[in-house]
Amino acid sequence: MNSQLNSNLSRRSLLKTLSVAGAALGTGYVISNPALGEPASPRTAKNNQNPWIYAFTIGDVEAWSISDGFLDFGQGLNLMYPESERDEMKKALEQRFEPTSSLQIYINILVLRKGSEVIVFDAGFGIVDHPDRGWLIEGLERVGINREDVTAAYLSHTHGDHMAGFIAPDEKPMYPNAVIYTTPEEHEFWMQTSHDFSRTKRDPKALDRMVKTAQMRFELLGGQIERAPAGSQMFGGLVTVEEAFGHTPGHAMYRITSAGETLLNFTDIAHSDILMFRNPSWVIGWDHDMSQAVETRRRFFKQASQQRTPCFGFHVPWPGLGGIAQRGSVESYDWAPRRIFWG
Ligand SMILES: [Zn+2]
């Protein structure tokens, strides 16, 4: 991706170029939908007719929630722990008219623009051959942001739905002009030679590949990666990195502050908008350290509900804006979505 990919190129040309580049390098990426506006599948057609970009403001900063798509896990509650409480979890889902045979989560990307700074929080899946995901780049273009315009990005942790989109199909950086901030703990964990996975329920057979993929992605991003420990502030105090360890060893969340307004992007502290809120001790098997993840979630929910902090969730229903409301006096919460408006 260099000078031939400038903003004068149409989306159609861009996708053709990426497709050719991806094929030439044998990356396995295939562009299914080279002509913008020609849906690749009925699901895409349905989604193209619905809004998936929500514009709002935080103080004097422009903000968007752009959907990168959604995930539908057929394993359903088999992904959740403790096993002995799955009946209770099922009841909680049924009560809210939710399916119980699959776990459906969203991929919401927070984007900010302040002057010449364009900041993206996690990158979604990138350009992939899948109708349900990989919509971010087109969403950015629809609000007038080209990949080259992105000046900064945050990587909350190295899982594919957050990190894959930082790499273009030609294996070059998707956002060539961006600094990508991640915590030192996250970077160090994945780049070291041996890894302790004793506190996760992930399939042990998948771990080796997960490590290699994370290392390969960090290597491809090279000098773009900058370590930003918890407490780091950027852009005159607009963004503060906060510790949210547990889901991964260096998992981060982000507090956005502008002109007296706040938005807390809690990234992967909760995946379901029902289960982890109803009982913060219910955990997903993807957590690296399940007890640390629960501790982090309990601390965060308590604080955010008491302080009534406006929140943004990466995996809760789009556009991901809302608050955390305590249910009575017990340690149980509701995700309270914010009303959204058009026009
Ligand atoms: Zn995630």
Side-chain angles (χ1 to χ4, degrees):
M1 297 305 100
N2 46 38
S3 56
Q4 87 233 49
L5 282 188
N6 57 49
S7 55
N8 296 328
L9 279 179
S10 69
R11 170 83 176 156
R12 185 177 182 144
S13 318
L14 171 68
L15 285 174
K16 268 190 180 161
T17 311
L18 293 174
S19 180
V20 169
L25 288 165
T27 55
Y29 288 99
V30 180
I31 306 301
S32 65
N33 184 16
L36 178 65
E38 290 172 20
S41 80
R43 288 185 101 166
T44 310
K46 186 182 70 184
N47 286 304
N48 275 347
Q49 287 163 12
N50 290 325
W52 84 101
I53 299 162
Y54 185 67
F56 59 105
T57 55
I58 309 164
D60 56 12
V61 171
E62 287 179 279
W64 295 271
S65 170
I66 300 180
S67 176
D68 191 57
F70 58 89
L71 295 163
D72 191 350
F73 294 98
Q75 303 101 307
L77 289 172
N78 291 327
L79 288 166
M80 294 293 298
Y81 295 87
E83 281 179 63
S84 59
E85 295 184 30
R86 284 181 186 156
D87 282 348
E88 282 301 306
M89 297 176 197
K90 190 163 177 252
K91 276 187 214 150
L93 290 173
E94 281 168 351
Q95 193 194 26
R96 293 274 294 264
F97 302 93
E98 285 290 321
T100 55
S101 56
S102 75
L103 186 67
Q104 298 173 344
I105 64 174
Y106 294 71
I107 309 163
N108 306 321
I109 312 289
L110 177 65
V111 179
L112 305 180
R113 182 162 61 195
K114 185 185 185 187
S116 58
E117 299 287 357
V118 177
I119 308 162
V120 172
F121 292 82
D122 290 315
F125 280 99
I127 296 172
V128 289
D129 180 27
H130 198 294
D132 298 345
R133 60 190 81 144
W135 308 342
L136 174 63
I137 296 297
E138 189 179 338
L140 287 169
E141 287 173 0
R142 291 211 178 191
V143 298
I145 296 171
N146 293 307
R147 301 181 307 134
E148 293 80 1
D149 300 334
V150 176
T151 54
Y154 288 84
L155 170 66
S156 66
H157 63 293
T158 66
H159 293 163
D161 50 333
H162 300 257
M163 192 182 195
F166 282 119
I167 315 282
D170 65 355
E171 299 192 339
K172 294 216 169 75
M174 187 75 94
Y175 305 103
N177 302 317
V179 174
I180 303 171
Y181 298 103
T182 197
T183 65
E185 291 86 354
E186 188 69 8
H187 190 243
E188 255 158 50
F189 175 79
W190 295 100
M191 296 308 281
Q192 68 197 352
T193 47
S194 67
H195 302 81
D196 176 5
F197 284 113
S198 60
R199 294 175 300 269
T200 183
K201 296 279 188 188
R202 274 187 183 271
D203 177 1
K205 295 194 289 290
L207 296 173
D208 191 43
R209 185 160 171 217
M210 199 166 92
V211 169
K212 288 205 171 87
T213 304
Q215 290 180 344
M216 179 197 75
R217 287 175 177 152
F218 273 129
E219 274 157 24
L220 287 171
L221 293 169
Q224 282 189 292
I225 297 286
E226 196 162 306
R227 294 171 171 215
S232 303
Q233 287 199 328
M234 295 85 169
F235 315 109
L238 176 66
V239 182
T240 307
V241 179
E242 295 195 5
E243 181 209 298
F245 300 167
H247 181 56
T248 61
H251 182 243
M253 60 184 180
Y254 307 102
R255 187 176 296 269
I256 321 297
T257 311
S258 171
E261 287 184 22
T262 293
L263 185 73
L264 204 300
N265 176 359
F266 62 79
T267 59
D268 278 28
I269 274 194
H271 293 80
S272 160
D273 61 311
I274 297 168
L275 298 173
M276 286 87 165
F277 289 87
R278 186 60 60 93
N279 184 340
S281 307
W282 289 348
V283 297
I284 199 145
W286 306 320
D287 284 341
H288 176 77
D289 182 332
M290 300 172 100
S291 61
Q292 191 184 26
V294 168
E295 222 174 90
T296 296
R297 182 158 52 240
R298 293 175 70 176
R299 190 180 65 233
F300 169 68
F301 280 6
K302 187 173 175 194
Q303 200 181 58
S305 61
Q306 285 175 351
Q307 297 175 357
R308 300 182 71 79
T309 310
C311 289
F312 177 89
F314 187 91
H315 286 303
V316 299
W318 183 86
L321 292 163
I324 296 162
Q326 192 169 358
R327 294 158 52 89
S329 57
V330 291
E331 198 188 18
S332 176
Y333 301 87
D334 277 322
W335 170 245
R338 188 195 296 184
R339 287 179 194 278
I340 60 173
F341 297 96
W342 288 263

